[in-house]
């Protein structure tokens, strides 16, 4: 599908060459050609598909562009099934004047002794026997039409070999485009002829008939200026939508509507599109697409579904039939409305199309301009769906690169190092298990379905029983909360523990809890609190640096995070590298603290764009975690997520997805549903949206949202961005009405929880800007993006992380408002 252009071109040329050899052959002859063909199997398959479509197309009137039917080139006698001079009913065959995929057209004369009448006699070819009933239905269609601008049915019958024929009014005229060019008609005359065509087509529509193949060759004009529409016999009766014989692929690439290439049932909007293409050619002097006689025209049309603007096409031509300045403006938008990709976006009827031309001629505002900006925005978004989704996902955070590092990474809690701390930890775990059993007994056992519910019950019990020796339990519980990304609950426990440590005069316990509180404050964006608590903790660790090597290493991780918040990324990297050196010299490399430092160093490298350095740090962290079995810890899971981000930045999307899926699986197995799991699922879901696997992405996001809101609340960053992301996925599915409430909840929650000047509020506005773009509200979208820019500018270093993505979204808005339909 993503072959280079040259390979696609060679492939299509091969398909076309084989199609040209097969299309006019009888079935037996085709088999012989195929047997001898030196072509790839896919080329043969596509050529046969085109041949089948050609056989079914009913293109009886494929005329060479000559002055009049009597002068058209006569096919060789070997191509016709009726000899000249033969009588068919009351008609004498005079010449073969047309030949298509399944039929022949003869010039014939009826002389019954009273009058002489020339007709165009249409007859199915012998190999088209499967279309006999369809052909008879065509006769019924034409017989029911009685409009002066539609060629009428003269007679119908059956040839001696059983083939049906139709004798149509013979039109001695030329294609409307040739007629206008020969007489050099001005704009007003061309529009007058065109509106006559519209009147005839509108008449057919009122009789529930769609032409389906309107093009210059089927719109003739006689020397007297009389318009005659041909080939209504290939039309579709609207009331017969269930009849497969009436849904054959009747296409002429330059004039067919997109729904015909897509195999959808034609409607009156299909003829509106073809009339728009006809008007384009009458004014510009060439068809809008210029894809005649191209076997793969359908594929090209669906790729290039945006109709060229008539006046722009005229600017590329040395000479045009009418002055370009007469087309610029109203006629441009009239043609574009008629040829819009979506049938429902075109004129509601041919009559409405013609009435808009009347408005143009009367110097009144044309209906095509109403809602035109909104339509152009919607079309732009349809054409650039993947681009806009990807841009908005970047803007809203939780993706690869800097945006994803704002609040998702930098774990600071790790195993204690000294024997004393290990002993305390073992005691805490014992006490924790005791409380867990007690809580289970009090609630009847099955009540705690998730780790979070058990943790909540246990934390409440621990706080009620707070006293001597309870501090270690509270710190352990706070650590578990932090590993579940519930930093608010962790903060509450740590503050309680600080109070207990101060009352007990336990300086070490106080420093430990202050440092943990600094970490949770950093994650909650409470920077001043984090700075204060960390400074007090470090003051104690620095009293004996050799004894407190592990604590200082963890302090370095938090301090690096604070430097990052100030935009001092290089300083953060230098700090972490120094901490790695110090800790390695003190206790050796193979230790979990060094793994944590390497992981966090890799995160900072990643944010700084140093991908090779980040990869080395992540590799070292993975090796060290594996050495002491820590790969399935909270740190190991976080490392998987960051390695996924790195792979995504390197363009290794498959590897990135595999890593984030592994992280999601491990996190779920270790802790069950949690805010941290929801954050990982958010990354996975957004990755799936960006790759346009919208249904799968929405499933992941919706599962995460179902427990994120319950476990961490509406005002948590995870829940806010999940709602933003779900809204983006819903818009990608065209469910804009369902997306709107999600966006408004994200805006409300971020404003209430963080304030209208916070980054999360701004990112929610970015999601609403996309929704407004899709609704055609360019003014509202620009207002939201202006507010986002103001928030980013005031956010300092944190805002600079998102500025490039915000600029990309604004560029999309600017391009959309300037883009044609």
């Amino acid at each position: 599908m993503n072959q280079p252009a040259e390979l696609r071109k060679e492939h299509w040329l091969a398909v076309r060459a084989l199609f040209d050899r097969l299309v006019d052959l009888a079935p037996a002859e085709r088999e012989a050609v195929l047997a001898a063909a030196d072509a790839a199997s896919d080329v043969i398959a596509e050529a046969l598909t085109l041949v089948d479509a050609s056989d079914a197309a009913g293109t009886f009137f494929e005329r060479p562009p000559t002055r009049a039917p009597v002068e058209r080139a006569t096919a060789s006698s070997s191509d016709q099934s009726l000899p000249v001079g033969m009588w068919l009913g009351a008609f004498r065959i005079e010449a073969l004047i047309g030949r298509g995929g399944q039929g022949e057209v003869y010039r014939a004369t009826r002389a019954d002794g009273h009058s002489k009448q020339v007709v165009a006699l249409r007859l199915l070819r012998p190999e088209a026997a499967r279309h006999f009933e369809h052909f008879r239905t065509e006769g019924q269609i034409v017989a029911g039409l009685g409009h002066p601008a539609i060629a009428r049915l003269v007679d119908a019958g059956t040839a001696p070999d059983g083939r049906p024929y139709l004798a149509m009014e013979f039109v001695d005229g030329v294609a409307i485009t040739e007629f206008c060019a020969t007489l050099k008609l001005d704009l007003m005359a061309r529009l007058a002829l065109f509106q006559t065509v519209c009147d005839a087509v509108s008449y057919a529509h009122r009789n529930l008939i769609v032409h389906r193949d309107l093009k210059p060759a089927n719109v003739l004009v006689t020397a007297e200026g009389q318009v005659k529409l041909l080939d209504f016999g290939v039309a579709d009766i609207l009331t017969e939508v269930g009849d497969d014989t009436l849904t054959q692929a009747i296409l002429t690439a330059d004039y067919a509507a997109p729904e015909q290439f897509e195999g959808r049932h034609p409607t009156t909007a299909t003829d509106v599109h073809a009339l728009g293409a006809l008007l384009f050619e009458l004014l510009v002097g060439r068809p809008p697409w210029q894809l005649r006689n191209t076997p793969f025209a359908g594929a090209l049309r669906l790729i290039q579904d945006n109709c060229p603007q008539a006046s722009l096409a005229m600017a590329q031509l040395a000479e045009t039939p009418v002055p370009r300045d007469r087309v610029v403006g109203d006629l441009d938008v009239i043609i574009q409305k008629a040829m819009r990709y979506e049938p429902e976006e075109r004129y509601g009827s041919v009559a409405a199309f013609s009435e808009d031309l009347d408005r143009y001629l009367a110097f009144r505002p044309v209906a095509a301009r109403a809602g035109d900006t909104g339509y152009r925005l919607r079309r732009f978004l349809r054409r650039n769906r993947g681009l806009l989704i990807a841009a908005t996902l970047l803007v809203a955070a939780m993706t690869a690169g800097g945006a994803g590092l704002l609040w998702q990474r930098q774990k600071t809690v790790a195993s204690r190092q000294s024997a004393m701390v290990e002993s305390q930890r073992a005691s805490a775990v014992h006490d924790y298990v005791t409380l867990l059993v007690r809580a289970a007994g009090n609630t009847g056992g099955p009540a705690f379905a998730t780790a979070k519910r058990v943790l909540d019950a246990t934390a409440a019990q621990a706080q009620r029983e707070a006293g001597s020796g309870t501090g270690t339990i509270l710190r352990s519980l706070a650590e578990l909360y932090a590993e579940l990304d519930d930093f608010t609950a962790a903060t509450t426990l740590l503050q309680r523990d600080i109070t207990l440590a101060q009352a007990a005069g336990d300086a070490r316990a106080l420093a430990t809890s202050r440092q943990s509180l600094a970490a949770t404050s950093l994650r909650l964006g409470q920077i001043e609190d984090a700075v204060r608590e960390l400074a007090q903790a470090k003051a104690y660790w620095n009293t004996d640096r050799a004894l407190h090597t592990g604590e200082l290493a963890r302090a370095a991780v938090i301090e690096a995070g604070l430097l990052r918040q100030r935009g001092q990324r290089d300083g953060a990297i230098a700090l972490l590298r120094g901490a790695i050196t110090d800790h390695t010299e003190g206790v050796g490399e193979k230790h979990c603290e060094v793994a944590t430092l390497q992981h966090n160093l890799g995160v900072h490298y990643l944010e700084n764009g140093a991908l090779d350095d980040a990869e080395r740090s992540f590799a070292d962290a993975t090796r060290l975690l594996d050495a002491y079995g820590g790969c399935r810890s909270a740190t190991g899971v976080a490392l998987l997520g960051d390695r996924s981000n790195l792979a995504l930045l390197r363009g290794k999307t498959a590897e990135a997805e595999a890593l984030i899926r592994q992280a999601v699986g491990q996190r779920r197995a270790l802790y069950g549903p949690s805010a941290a799991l929801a954050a990982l699922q958010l990354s996975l879901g957004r990755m799936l949206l960006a790759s346009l696997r919208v249904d799968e992405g929405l499933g992941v996001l919706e599962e995460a949202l179902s427990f994120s809101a319950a476990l961490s609340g509406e005002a948590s960053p995870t829940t806010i961005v999940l709602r933003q992301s779900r809204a983006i996925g819903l818009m990608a599915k065209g469910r804009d009405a369902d997306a709107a409430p999600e966006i408004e909840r994200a805006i409300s929650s971020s404003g209430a929880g963080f304030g209208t000047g916070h980054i999360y509020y701004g990112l929610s506005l970015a999601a609403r800007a996309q929704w407004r773009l899709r609704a055609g509200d360019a003014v509202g979208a620009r207002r939201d993006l202006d507010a986002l820019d103001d928030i980013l500018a005031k956010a300092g270093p944190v805002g600079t992380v998102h500025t490039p993505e915000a600029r990309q979204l604004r560029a999309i808005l600017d391009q959309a408002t300037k883009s044609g339909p």
Side-chain angles (χ1 to χ4, degrees), residues 455-480:
L455 196 54
D456 287 344
T458 305
Q461 184 89 22
Q463 291 189 79
R464 285 194 298 271
E465 299 182 6
S468 178
T470 314
T472 304
I473 298 172
L474 292 176
R475 287 193 297 275
S476 295
L477 292 173
E479 178 179 331
L480 286 169

Side-chain angles (χ1 to χ4, degrees), residues 39-261:
S41 58
D42 57 340
V43 170
I44 292 174
E46 291 182 39
L48 287 176
T49 299
L50 292 169
V51 170
D52 288 342
S54 175
D55 286 347
T59 50
F60 289 94
F61 279 92
E62 293 298 332
R63 299 179 177 80
T66 51
R67 176 68 181 84
V70 293
E71 299 170 359
R72 293 183 186 122
T74 302
S76 67
S77 59
S78 62
D79 290 333
Q80 63 188 77
S81 58
L82 300 181
V84 173
M86 174 182 173
W87 284 87
L88 195 59
F91 302 98
R92 183 179 185 276
I93 303 301
E94 294 187 346
L96 177 68
I97 58 174
R99 190 171 186 269
Q102 68 174 356
E104 303 163 339
V105 183
Y106 294 89
R107 185 178 189 274
T109 304
R110 178 163 68 180
D112 56 9
H114 301 287
S115 62
K116 185 174 181 179
Q117 183 179 23
V118 179
V119 300
L121 192 145
R122 300 175 54 189
L123 179 72
L124 281 180
R125 293 168 62 181
E127 57 265 34
R130 67 184 184 278
H131 299 298
F132 283 6
E133 289 306 314
H134 180 198
F135 190 71
R136 290 189 177 94
T137 303
E138 294 175 9
Q140 298 171 9
I141 295 171
V142 180
L145 298 176
H147 190 280
I150 297 177
R152 71 184 188 280
L153 177 69
V154 174
D155 200 355
T158 303
D161 59 5
R163 287 183 288 160
Y165 68 82
L166 301 176
M168 305 295 300
E169 174 186 1
F170 186 87
V171 180
D172 188 5
V174 294
I176 187 172
T177 48
E178 184 181 344
F179 181 86
C180 292
T182 301
L183 297 182
K184 294 183 170 46
L185 297 185
D186 63 13
L187 177 63
M188 296 299 103
R190 289 169 187 259
L191 291 179
L193 275 177
F194 180 76
Q195 287 191 290
T196 301
V197 178
C198 288
D199 184 66
V201 177
S202 185
Y203 165 82
H205 289 180
R206 291 195 299 273
N207 284 273
L208 304 181
I209 294 172
V210 179
H211 190 288
R212 303 203 301 175
D213 196 24
L214 290 167
K215 56 187 176 183
N218 281 337
V219 183
L220 301 187
V221 184
T222 68
E224 296 75 29
Q226 172 66 50
V227 172
K228 288 286 185 180
L229 271 64
L230 309 179
D231 266 14
F232 262 101
V234 299
D236 193 5
I237 301 175
L238 294 182
T239 55
E240 297 290 343
V241 294
D243 185 351
D244 290 341
T245 65
L246 298 182
T247 57
Q248 303 296 333
I250 301 168
L251 305 178
T252 304
D254 284 306
Y255 310 94
E259 61 267 23
Q260 292 176 279
F261 292 106

Side-chain angles (χ1 to χ4, degrees), residues 383-425:
R383 295 194 303 271
N384 297 278
R385 182 171 67 122
L387 170 65
L388 189 59
I389 288 174
T392 309
L393 292 177
L394 286 169
V395 168
M398 286 302 295
T399 58
L405 299 175
L406 180 61
W407 47 269
Q408 169 57 16
R409 302 293 178 240
Q410 300 172 356
K411 296 290 182 188
T412 61
V413 182
S415 301
R416 303 302 191 252
Q417 307 308 312
S418 67
M420 178 181 66
V421 171
E422 291 294 346
S423 175
Q424 289 178 339
R425 181 68 177 263

Side-chain angles (χ1 to χ4, degrees), residues 486-765:
D486 189 343
F487 302 106
T488 300
T491 296
T492 300
L493 290 172
L494 290 169
Q495 288 171 338
R496 175 65 170 150
D497 185 48
I498 287 172
T499 300
L500 292 173
Q502 287 173 327
D506 188 339
R508 181 184 178 85
L510 180 60
T512 301
S513 294
R514 287 193 183 283
Q515 180 153 297
S516 295
L517 183 58
T520 59
S521 297
L522 173 62
R523 298 295 293 273
L524 290 171
Q526 299 165 354
I527 304 304
E528 292 181 3
D529 292 344
V531 171
R532 182 182 63 253
E533 299 295 339
L534 182 63
Q536 294 185 62
K538 285 183 65 179
Y540 178 80
W541 307 137
N542 284 327
T543 59
D544 190 339
R545 293 182 63 88
L547 179 63
H548 301 134
T549 303
E551 286 79 5
L552 284 168
R554 291 188 290 278
V557 171
I558 302 169
E559 189 172 355
L562 290 170
L563 288 172
R564 175 199 172 279
Q565 292 291 86
R566 302 188 186 103
Q568 300 172 11
R569 297 189 179 99
D570 291 338
I573 289 171
L575 177 67
L576 289 170
R577 292 176 64 178
I580 290 171
T581 300
D582 291 344
H583 198 73
T584 301
E585 290 175 353
V587 299
E589 182 201 29
K590 292 183 178 180
H591 204 282
C592 62
E593 298 292 358
V594 179
T596 300
L597 288 167
Q598 286 286 8
H599 171 212
N600 281 271
L601 177 61
V603 169
H604 286 273
Y605 277 136
L606 185 66
E607 185 179 28
N608 222 26
L611 303 189
D612 290 339
D613 290 333
E615 187 167 15
R616 281 191 290 271
S617 290
F618 288 158
D620 285 340
T622 301
R623 174 176 53 81
L624 292 171
L625 286 174
D626 186 63
Y628 71 88
C631 284
R632 290 185 58 82
S633 65
T635 301
V637 172
L639 179 57
L640 283 173
D642 289 315
R643 287 172 57 200
S644 171
N645 285 338
L646 174 62
L648 198 61
L649 285 175
R650 289 195 181 280
K652 300 177 180 179
T653 54
E655 180 182 341
E657 183 177 336
L659 286 167
I660 198 67
R661 286 188 184 277
Q662 186 180 351
V664 167
Q666 287 192 14
R667 168 65 69 172
R668 191 190 297 274
L670 286 170
Y671 302 104
S674 66
L677 176 61
L680 287 171
Q681 288 185 297
L682 176 56
S683 295
L684 174 59
R686 295 168 78 82
M687 196 179 297
L688 293 169
L689 290 188
S691 63
L692 300 184
R693 285 176 284 171
V694 179
D695 288 333
E696 186 180 1
L698 274 174
V700 172
L701 294 171
E702 287 168 353
E703 183 193 26
L705 184 58
S706 69
F707 53 77
S708 175
L711 298 179
S712 58
E714 281 295 332
S716 77
T718 301
T719 303
I720 290 168
V721 183
L722 272 166
R723 293 207 180 279
Q724 296 169 8
S725 304
R726 180 171 185 263
I728 294 166
L730 291 171
M731 286 188 283
K733 292 285 291 179
R735 295 169 55 188
D736 292 31
D738 294 330
E742 290 290 292
I743 294 172
E744 292 306 320
R745 289 185 74 174
I747 291 174
S748 175
S749 297
S750 57
F754 298 93
T756 57
H758 197 277
I759 189 73
Y760 296 133
Y761 185 83
L763 299 177
S764 299
L765 294 181

Side-chain angles (χ1 to χ4, degrees), residues 280 284 308-316 324 327-329 332:
F280 182 105
V284 176
Q309 188 169 316
S311 61
L312 293 180
M314 296 172 82
Q316 300 171 7
R324 179 175 176 270
V327 176
V328 172
D332 266 335

